Amino acid sequence: MNISIVGSGYVGLVTGVCLAHIGHRIICVDNDPEKIKRLKRGEIPIFEPELEGLLKRYFKLKKLSFTVSIKEATQKTDVIFIAVGTPSKKNGDADLTFVENVAREIAVNMNSYKLVVEKSTVPTATGMRVQRTIALNLPKKFQSNKKKTIAFDVASNPEFLREGSAVHDFMNPDRIVIGVESKKAEDLLREIYKPLKAPIVVTNINSAEMIKHASNSFLATKISFINAIAQVCDRVGADVLKVAEGMGFDKRIGRNFLDAGIGYGGSCFPKDVDAFISLSERSGYDFALLKAVRNINEHQKRSFVRLIEDKLWIIKNKTIGILGVAFKPNTDDMRNAPSIDIIQHLQSEGATIKAYDPQAVEKAKPCLPGVQFCKDVFSTVSDCDCLLLLTQWDEFKKVDFKKVKQVMRQTIIFDGRNFFEKEKLEALGFEYFGIGRGKL
Ligand code: UDX
C-alpha cells in the first residue's frame, strides 16, 4: 500500500521504516528540511539498533522516500499516519498544536479518499477533533456541493515501541490496537498489518486512545510500586531483588517492570502520566493513584542524592564518576533522564562530575553543562571519591573492578539500577549501596 508518515521523529521514522520492511511503499515527511536532507543521505538523527540498515536498504530500493511536503505525501498516498510530537504544556496537558496543523494541511490537500491515522500519543477524543478539523478545512469545492464531497476516515493506532528495541517491537508486537469508526478504515488497517502475527484489538477511537494511556500509566505504576517497596526494604532490612523475584513468579504479577532504581525517565512515561492526570482532572476525576506514582518517581531521585550525601558526608570539592547518563540502556536519548536531576543537584553542592556513556555523550553535553565527559570507564573513575551507576549498559558488566579499585580515590559505589553484584564488590573491598537492598 502507499502510505505516508507525517513526523520523522522517533515514532514516525521507526513506523515508516518498518512498514516499508513489511512490504509497503512509504513517504516520510518532516517540516525540518535539514533533517530530510540527512535522511536522504541515510543519516538517522537517533541511535536505534537495526534502524539505519533498514532505512538505507528501503531507500535504495525506492520503497522509502523523504519529503518536507505534506501536500505531496497526501496526494500520493491513501493512508496518512500522524506521528508528530505532542509535548507537555506547563499544566501537564499535551500540546496538540502540531497535530492540528498537520490535520489542517492534509485536509486542504486532499484529492481522493484518505485514511488519517493518529500514531502519536494523544488525549482521548483527539481523533474526533482531527475528524472535525479535516471536515472544516476540506477544499471549498468539496464543502459547497454535497454531491462532490470527499470521503475520509480517521483512526487511532497507538504505538507501544520501546526505545532501544523499537524495530524488534514493531515486528513482534504483543498486540495491535486499531480504533476505528468505519468498516473501511478497519479493513485498511488490517491489510497494512497483515504480515505481522499479533492479536488485533479493534475498538472505537476513544477506547484505542485510552488503551495507550492506561498501558503506559500501568507500567509507570508498576515501577513506582517496586520503588516504594524498595524504600521500605531499606528501612526494614529486606532485599528488593529477592522481593521482586518472589512476586514475579506469580503469573498475575509477572517479573517485568519490577526493577527498582532511580525512577523512570524518557520521552513517554513522565509526559504521558502528566497528560493522563490532567485529562482525568478535566473530566472530573482526581486520579490520586497516578499522582502518587509521579511523586514516588521524583522521590527516588531525591533519596538517591540523599544517600550519596549521607555516605560521602561533604559533597563540595568531591569528584564523582558517573557510568551511564541516557535514560535507559541501548539509546542515546536524554529526555527526562534521571541522571540530569541527580547530576545537577550534586553540581549545585559543589561536586566535580566526570561521566561516560557508550552512546549518549553528544546528546548529554547540552543537558549537562559543566560535566567532564570521558572516553571510557577508567578515565571516568580515576581519582574519584565515588562511582555512580545511572544507566545499566551491558558493557559495564565487563568492567574489571580490581583495576577500578586501584584508580579510585575512595572505593564507594552507588548503584542506581541494582546492576552490579553487591557481594562480589564487597568482597573486593568496595562499599556498595544499591536501591532497596536493605542495608543503609
Ligand atoms: C515506554 C513504553 O514501554 C512503550 O510501550 C511506549 O510506547 C513508550 O514508553 P520507553 O520510554 O522506550 O517505552 O522505555 P521503557 O523501556 O518502557 O522504560 C521507561 C523507563 O522506565 C526507563 O527510564 C527505565 O529505566 C525505567 N524502568 C523500566 C525502571 O525503572 N524499572 C523497570 O522495571 C522498567
Side-chain angles (χ1 to χ4, degrees):
M1 286 171 71
N2 290 314
I3 301 170
S4 52
I5 321 283
V6 183
S8 300
Y10 208 93
V11 171
L13 215 48
V14 173
T15 305
V17 168
C18 290
L19 286 175
H21 193 41
I22 60 171
H24 303 293
R25 195 178 290 274
I26 306 297
I27 302 178
C28 286
V29 190
D30 203 281
N31 62 1
D32 177 350
E34 198 46 44
K35 191 189 248 181
I36 291 296
K37 257 193 226 159
R38 289 183 59 191
L39 287 168
K40 283 181 178 170
R41 289 200 298 263
E43 294 168 21
I44 56 169
I46 48 174
F47 170 77
E48 183 62 41
E50 297 183 69
L51 192 60
E52 193 172 324
L54 290 175
L55 182 140
K56 285 182 174 155
R57 178 152 123 214
Y58 291 106
F59 183 64
K60 221 172 168 184
L61 290 169
K62 297 198 170 9
K63 297 272 187 199
L64 185 63
S65 60
F66 301 99
T67 178
V68 287
S69 166
I70 292 186
K71 179 177 180 183
E72 181 194 338
T74 303
Q75 297 190 343
K76 285 188 179 163
T77 60
D78 316 309
V79 181
I80 305 149
F81 283 80
I82 303 181
V84 291
T86 53
S88 289
K89 290 200 273 193
K90 275 207 179 84
N91 65 358
D93 279 349
D95 181 349
L96 300 172
T97 314
F98 299 135
V99 177
E100 189 194 37
N101 287 347
V102 170
R104 207 181 284 142
E105 226 179 307
I106 291 171
V108 298
N109 289 301
M110 274 199 190
N111 56 346
S112 59
Y113 171 87
K114 306 289 166 192
L115 171 61
V116 179
V117 188
E118 13 155 280
K119 197 76 179 154
S120 315
T121 301
V122 290
T124 316
T126 303
M128 296 307 161
R129 292 190 183 280
V130 169
Q131 169 102 27
R132 189 174 144 74
T133 304
I134 295 176
L136 287 171
N137 288 278
L138 287 173
K140 289 280 174 292
K141 60 179 175 187
F142 295 125
Q143 283 185 18
S144 51
N145 181 344
K146 277 214 162 102
K147 268 187 225 147
K148 264 181 112 188
T149 200
I150 205 163
F152 71 93
D153 277 306
V154 171
S156 163
N157 171 223
E159 54 84 21
F160 300 99
L161 311 171
R162 288 164 304 170
E163 291 186 20
S165 54
V167 172
H168 175 268
D169 289 352
F170 189 99
M171 303 309 297
N172 305 279
D174 288 339
R175 78 305 206 181
I176 292 165
V177 174
I178 289 176
V180 284
E181 306 290 329
S182 82
K183 180 82 174 66
K184 182 165 185 178
E186 176 185 340
D187 290 347
L188 279 167
L189 280 159
R190 280 187 184 277
E191 184 64 26
I192 290 173
Y193 288 114
K194 213 173 176 180
L196 299 180
K197 282 177 189 47
I200 296 188
V201 179
V202 181
T203 178
N204 61 23
I205 294 179
N206 283 0
S207 303
E209 291 165 337
M210 186 59 91
I211 288 170
K212 172 73 190 202
H213 281 303
S215 302
N216 271 3
S217 299
F218 187 79
L219 291 170
T221 303
K222 227 180 153 184
I223 299 170
S224 279
F225 184 86
I226 200 68
N227 280 333
I229 295 288
Q231 290 289 337
V232 184
C233 283
D234 274 334
R235 287 162 177 79
V236 301
D239 183 349
V240 76
L241 284 186
K242 282 289 160 194
V243 175
E245 185 187 341
M247 289 169 68
F249 278 111
D250 186 326
K251 288 189 189 68
R252 294 167 303 174
I253 299 174
R255 176 61 183 81
N256 288 337
F257 274 69
L258 286 182
D259 293 322
I262 47 177
Y264 58 75
S267 65
C268 288
F269 286 170
K271 174 170 80 76
D272 291 355
V273 167
D274 279 355
F276 198 33
I277 290 172
S278 176
L279 183 148
S280 309
E281 214 141 52
R282 262 186 296 112
S283 73
Y285 180 69
D286 175 17
F287 211 141
L289 174 65
L290 272 189
K291 288 182 182 168
V293 165
R294 182 170 63 186
N295 289 342
I296 291 167
N297 200 55
E298 288 308 306
H299 182 261
Q300 281 311 102
K301 292 179 266 190
R302 285 198 303 274
S303 87
F304 190 62
V305 169
R306 241 177 266 139
L307 173 70
I308 298 164
E309 287 168 345
D310 182 37
K311 303 298 171 192
L312 271 193
W313 190 20
I314 309 293
I315 301 290
K316 198 172 169 190
N317 297 331
K318 293 267 164 67
T319 304
I320 298 179
I322 294 188
L323 298 188
V325 290
F327 85 95
K328 66 170 195 176
N330 300 321
T331 175
D332 61 351
D333 201 338
M334 285 297 296
R335 286 177 288 178
N336 284 307
S339 63
I340 299 175
D341 286 352
I342 292 168
I343 290 173
Q344 279 173 352
H345 191 96
L346 295 170
Q347 284 176 321
S348 73
E349 298 273 316
T352 299
I353 307 288
K354 292 163 78 182
Y356 168 69
D357 189 286
Q359 289 293 339
V361 170
E362 282 318 306
K363 293 210 170 139
K365 279 178 183 166
C367 322
L368 295 171
V371 170
Q372 183 189 331
F373 285 98
C374 304
K375 287 206 160 48
D376 55 29
V377 173
F378 285 104
S379 47
T380 309
V381 298
S382 67
D383 295 326
C384 279
D385 295 289
C386 70
L387 181 163
L388 314 188
L389 183 284
L390 300 187
T391 316
Q392 66 279 39
W393 285 92
D394 253 358
E395 71 168 69
F396 299 150
K397 271 263 153 47
K398 296 179 210 120
V399 169
D400 181 346
F401 277 99
K402 279 189 192 143
K403 280 195 194 160
V404 167
K405 197 180 165 195
Q406 285 161 13
V407 297
M408 286 183 76
R409 197 181 298 152
Q410 296 188 139
T411 47
I412 310 175
I413 296 182
F414 298 95
D415 183 350
R417 302 288 184 175
N418 290 337
F419 180 66
F420 294 130
E421 282 176 62
K422 177 176 183 248
E423 291 74 17
K424 224 166 123 183
L425 290 171
E426 285 177 343
L428 281 172
F430 284 93
E431 267 192 48
Y432 174 93
F433 302 99
I435 308 283
R437 307 300 306 275
K439 194 195 88 178
L440 288 186

